[in-house]
Amino acid sequence: MSFPWANEYKPSHPLMQWMDEKLPLPRFVYNAVGAGYPVPRNLNYAWNFGVLAGFCLALQIVTGVILAMHYAANTGVAFDSVEHIMRDVNWGWMLRYAHANGASAFFVVVYVHIFRGFFYGSYKAPREMIWLLGVVIFLLMMATAFMGYVLPWGQMSFWGAQVITGLFSAIPLVGDPLHTWLLGGFAPDNAALNRFFSLHFLLPFVIAGVVILHIWALHIPGSSNPTGVEVKQESDTVPFHPYYTAKDGFGLGVFLIGYCALLFFFPNALGHPDNYIPANPMQTPAHIVPEWYFWPFYAILRAFTQDFLFIPAKLMGVLAMFSAILVWFFLPWLDRSPVRSGHFRPTFRKFYYALIVDALVLGYCGGSPAEEPFVMISQIAAIYYFAHFLIILPIVSAIERPDPLPFSITEAVLGSDETAPAAA
Amino acid sequence: MIRIISILVGAFFSLALLWSVGKGAVSYVTEPPKETVEHAFHLAPKEVEFESDGAFGKFDNQQLQRGFKVYKEVCSACHALKLVAFRDLKAIGYNDDEVKAIAKGFQVPAYNKNTGEVVTKEGVAADHFPPVLYAGQGTPPDLSLIAKARHEGPEYVYSLLTGYQEQPAELLKKFPDAKTPEGLHYNPYFANLNLAMPQPLTADDQVTYTDGTKATVDQMSKDVAAFLIWTAEPKLDKRKQTGWAVLGFLLFATVLAYMAYRNVWAEKKGH
Ligand code: HEM
């Protein structure tokens, strides 16, 4: 589906005409990311991050597949096989650092992408399905990254796996058998490492599949835009190619500069030194912390220190940690404001900025040891987190008075739109 | 309806958290956490500069060779270096003959093909540094990755080697139970302050340097720390070199991409 004024694919070369009759793949590409896809003309750089996320996924798959040719998923040799990649495989150090830092870059990009959605109300009708699929992708990414981090079989790999799989044992009745079944044992060992490797290899391709659905769903209403006013007419749009291929190309260059600076000059800055110590089930590290992109959720997990209404603290923490992401699924129905963009929602905007600060505070606490004052700060920050989505958004969206919207994207960009009704 | 449920769920989590905050605050006041001896006396690593620091830093082979000498003559009595092969030493400036001679100086594990017995043999260039039998107190870790396996690893190694001292009287006054146990050694740079490793570098000229550098304890500590950066990250020089080439190319490509972008959008107002 697209707008009636979309350019039509007209192959001039006979070979391409032949191809178009047999398998219209070029037509498909033309309509998906080519000149046949009209896009709002006023997208800012926040709209670049979807393309960047797709790039990161491709990067992880390419580097990951090559790493997998040299990696050995066996607890006896996994650690040394990673060091073999670092030392003996040609350009192995670059592949491994590209993959490990690629995961971080991927999460940076996806977090910006998600917070773009929060601000511009991208989750609202008619784009709920795009949003829901996005949350599924995020959950799959978290599972993939968690299992990937276990593969080098360092101290943090082992103890991270121990802590996170241990969460399942908090589930009443079935918890312990479920935990043992998931791990294939009572603690992470060879069985767990092997299944994690298998799933870590598989899930990125599942993600790629869901990404296709995500983009398919996007192409039905088309992209939203910073004003949140829907496209009305041809002058509101430009063809994706060359306008956004050029803009996204520049954005990709800027992204790559930052990513490569990290990869080549600070490749271990985001990692934990303990993961350069081979896994040792007999020796617990002083502080067990996950990778940075899990810190906000880890802080929420640890914030529940007391049993509540006969629910054990650990179970509360697990429920809350999963709920922290699951609430995103309900967002389209919790925020009832008819206005999408935060630009025109003065009250919402203040809470949005508070949410950013809150997420950063949670992240900082999640990476810190579980002692005061971090525990108390994360408890208060977690209250705000849940209150923001579950209490504040439903209420604010019902009572807030939004600012006046422009008539159209054209008016927002050019200052006037001749199709607008005179002096409203 | 969904919003009422949502507000109830939000209230549920908030109350559970408030309950945790409240109970936590009460116990914080009634039993304030005690300061631990590690908290009071542990020190962050000293500031030291290494040739390989920073985006422009490169290994200094002279220093790496001195550091290797310190490892070989002192540390190798207790610590293995199993991820490093003798032939890797060519990267820090030894030639084939020197590498062969170094390898010969180590006994590496092997097995007798006829009897199946485990034996040792003289090392060859392709062998890795052998495991070390250690009978004393504690477990000396393999040093191959130590510079990446500790926060500020290189500075930490240097600080640890130069940080041995008497246990401060003040410490014993404040924490009378924290006396360094028999057989351990006080070192404020070590996480729990007392470690099993006896001070390995104790006197100037413990290792004989042949390049004219004065072998002070400080210098030897720095050199061996530099050597351990290399064992942990032998591809460091190549990584940075590649990084500059890649960044140069990307900068160029991004400027081009920017110009293309301006050009494409030139006739569209207000972007
Ligand atoms: C969604 C995309 C992916 C994410 C977020 C991701 C994340 C990660 C992370 C965080 C690690 C640990 C890095 C380290 O500390 O060394 C890792 C390791 C690994 N990944 Fe992935 N990965 C992804 C895709 C893939 C794919 C598609 C493959 C292969 C088909 C793959 C293969 C591997 C292998 C073999 C390792 C272990 C080697 C190593 O430790 O460097 N990954 N991954």
Side-chain angles (χ1 to χ4, degrees):
Chain A
M1 224 221 62
S2 182
F3 300 109
W5 57 86
N7 294 324
E8 207 205 324
Y9 179 63
K10 290 197 212 75
S12 51
H13 196 279
L15 180 66
M16 296 309 272
Q17 287 167 353
W18 182 86
M19 183 72 185
D20 194 42
E21 281 167 22
K22 315 296 179 228
L23 178 72
L25 193 63
R27 176 182 294 272
F28 178 80
V29 172
Y30 183 91
N31 289 335
V33 289
Y37 177 44
V39 190
R41 64 189 292 172
N42 60 336
L43 301 187
N44 58 29
Y45 284 106
W47 266 262
N48 190 188
F49 285 80
V51 166
L52 293 182
F55 176 85
C56 289
L57 178 62
L59 183 82
Q60 289 306 90
I61 290 183
V62 171
T63 52
V65 167
I66 306 176
L67 283 173
M69 296 173 186
H70 302 278
Y71 169 80
N74 179 297
T75 53
V77 293
F79 187 90
D80 285 349
S81 80
V82 171
E83 278 307 315
H84 158 74
I85 293 172
M86 293 294 286
R87 289 158 194 269
D88 304 327
V89 173
N90 290 333
W91 298 97
W93 58 270
M94 188 168 83
L95 275 173
R96 173 165 186 249
Y97 280 153
H99 194 77
N101 289 291
S104 281
F106 199 174
F107 274 93
V108 170
V109 164
V110 162
Y111 278 129
V112 175
H113 193 63
I114 293 172
F115 273 80
R116 185 278 314 260
F118 287 152
F119 186 79
Y120 292 105
S122 306
Y123 44 83
K124 291 185 188 180
R127 297 185 182 77
E128 307 95 311
M129 185 52 78
I130 311 171
W131 175 258
L132 299 180
L133 290 166
V135 181
V136 170
I137 293 172
F138 184 68
L139 289 169
L140 287 169
M141 275 178 66
M142 294 184 88
T144 308
F146 162 67
M147 289 189 275
Y149 193 59
V150 177
L151 302 184
W153 208 243
Q155 273 289 68
M156 265 321 154
S157 298
F158 178 86
W159 289 97
Q162 176 87 316
V163 169
I164 300 302
T165 59
L167 297 180
F168 287 93
S169 62
I171 301 171
L173 302 175
V174 295
D176 278 322
L178 180 67
H179 174 233
T180 312
W181 180 71
L182 285 174
L183 280 178
F186 297 109
D189 206 337
N190 214 28
L193 181 61
N194 268 290
R195 63 188 60 179
F196 282 10
F197 181 46
S198 171
L199 292 173
H200 183 71
F201 204 131
L202 170 71
L203 285 185
F205 297 94
V206 177
I207 295 176
V210 185
V211 166
I212 290 173
L213 299 181
H214 183 75
I215 297 172
W216 187 3
L218 169 71
H219 279 64
I220 291 172
S223 292
S224 183
N225 68 84
T227 66
V229 175
E230 290 292 318
V231 167
K232 291 192 165 69
Q233 53 199 335
E234 185 166 4
S235 66
D236 290 347
T237 64
V238 291
F240 188 85
H241 180 71
Y243 289 94
Y244 286 105
T245 38
K247 188 165 181 171
D248 290 348
F250 168 58
L252 179 64
V254 174
F255 164 78
L256 281 176
I257 289 177
Y259 165 66
C260 288
L262 182 70
L263 189 175
F264 288 104
F265 297 109
F266 311 97
N268 293 307
L270 298 174
H272 197 291
D274 279 18
N275 230 25
Y276 281 110
I277 306 171
N280 180 354
M282 312 304 285
Q283 187 189 30
T284 319
H287 303 296
I288 302 175
V289 284
E291 291 277 86
W292 70 267
Y293 34 80
F294 293 132
W295 287 353
F297 302 102
Y298 197 55
I300 291 176
L301 171 75
R302 294 190 303 183
F304 291 80
T305 50
Q306 300 294 331
D307 299 355
F308 184 66
L309 301 178
F310 307 107
I311 307 175
K314 185 173 170 195
L315 180 58
M316 275 305 295
V318 174
L319 282 176
M321 183 175 75
F322 285 107
S323 305
I325 302 171
L326 296 183
V327 292
W328 296 355
F329 278 120
F330 297 94
L331 200 50
W333 299 279
L334 296 179
D335 176 358
R336 298 296 293 272
S337 170
V339 173
R340 295 193 182 83
S341 170
H343 282 308
F344 304 101
R345 301 182 59 191
T347 317
F348 162 85
R349 201 158 58 218
K350 296 197 186 83
F351 289 107
Y352 171 80
Y353 292 130
L355 180 69
I356 294 187
V357 174
D358 190 61
L360 294 175
V361 170
L362 278 172
Y364 186 82
C365 291
S368 304
E371 49 191 50
E372 296 303 350
F374 303 116
V375 176
M376 228 174 265
I377 297 174
S378 45
Q379 286 165 339
I380 293 163
I383 293 179
Y384 182 78
Y385 183 89
F386 286 109
H388 178 91
F389 290 106
L390 295 172
I391 302 175
I392 296 173
L393 275 190
I395 295 179
V396 162
S397 61
I399 61 176
E400 143 186 84
R401 281 197 51 191
D403 294 339
L405 294 174
F407 169 74
S408 66
I409 295 171
T410 306
E411 186 190 278
V413 175
L414 301 180
S416 70
D417 180 350
E418 64 226 23
T419 64
Chain B
M1 185 60 191
I2 176 166
R3 285 187 285 172
I4 294 172
I5 298 173
S6 144
I7 292 174
L8 289 176
V9 173
F12 171 72
F13 281 126
S14 303
L15 286 176
L17 283 162
L18 277 176
W19 179 242
S20 288
V21 176
K23 287 259 273 206
V26 169
S27 70
Y28 192 81
V29 174
T30 51
E31 314 157 37
K34 285 205 198 75
E35 198 189 24
T36 61
V37 59
E38 290 90 352
H39 219 267
F41 285 90
H42 180 259
L43 297 178
K46 304 178 196 177
E47 302 265 337
V48 217
E49 307 235 316
F50 293 95
E51 299 295 324
S52 55
D53 284 351
F56 294 99
K58 281 219 300 240
F59 285 131
D60 168 1
N61 278 354
Q62 287 282 313
Q63 179 174 40
L64 298 190
Q65 293 193 6
R66 294 197 300 270
F68 170 62
K69 235 176 160 224
V70 177
Y71 168 75
K72 195 172 92 161
E73 290 175 24
V74 183
C75 322
S76 72
C78 305
H79 291 281
L81 203 58
K82 67 170 180 164
L83 295 174
V84 182
F86 296 114
R87 61 171 171 218
D88 295 338
L89 292 170
K90 278 192 251 180
I92 64 171
Y94 291 106
N95 63 30
D96 284 334
D97 292 336
E98 286 167 325
V99 166
K100 270 187 208 145
I102 291 166
K104 247 184 159 165
F106 285 84
Q107 290 289 314
V108 302
Y111 78 101
N112 182 323
K113 284 206 187 84
N114 302 321
T115 65
E117 253 178 314
V118 177
V119 294
T120 55
K121 62 161 183 123
E122 260 174 22
V124 298
D127 287 320
H128 282 226
F129 280 84
V132 179
L133 273 179
Y134 172 77
Q137 191 165 4
T139 320
D142 186 279
L143 289 184
S144 318
L145 280 169
I146 203 82
K148 289 203 290 195
R150 298 288 182 275
H151 285 285
E152 300 174 63
E155 292 83 358
Y156 172 73
V157 171
Y158 167 82
S159 308
L160 198 67
L161 294 177
T162 54
Y164 286 86
Q165 49 185 265
E166 285 293 312
Q167 202 169 24
E170 196 194 337
L171 182 153
L172 289 173
K173 224 163 67 207
K174 251 175 109 179
F175 302 95
D177 299 338
K179 189 162 167 34
T180 299
E182 197 55 45
L184 298 189
H185 310 269
Y186 183 78
N187 191 322
Y189 297 96
F190 190 63
N192 67 19
L193 306 179
N194 301 302
L195 85 165
M197 169 164 74
Q199 183 171 3
L201 297 172
T202 48
D204 290 358
D205 294 318
Q206 189 173 340
V207 174
T208 317
Y209 280 170
T210 48
D211 66 353
T213 310
K214 179 112 187 54
T216 59
V217 169
D218 189 80
Q219 184 67 40
M220 290 185 290
S221 305
K222 227 168 129 174
D223 291 346
V224 76
F227 173 68
L228 292 174
I229 303 178
W230 175 77
T231 63
E233 183 89 357
K235 301 292 162 63
L236 181 143
D237 279 351
K238 182 151 183 211
R239 165 159 68 72
K240 290 181 188 168
Q241 247 172 28
T242 313
W244 284 116
V246 169
L247 281 190
F249 167 77
L250 282 176
L251 212 58
F252 173 70
T254 304
V255 168
L256 281 189
Y258 182 71
M259 292 185 332
Y261 157 60
R262 297 295 297 187
N263 197 12
V264 166
W265 282 80
E267 86 292 9
K268 289 278 169 199
K269 259 178 77 180
H271 59 272

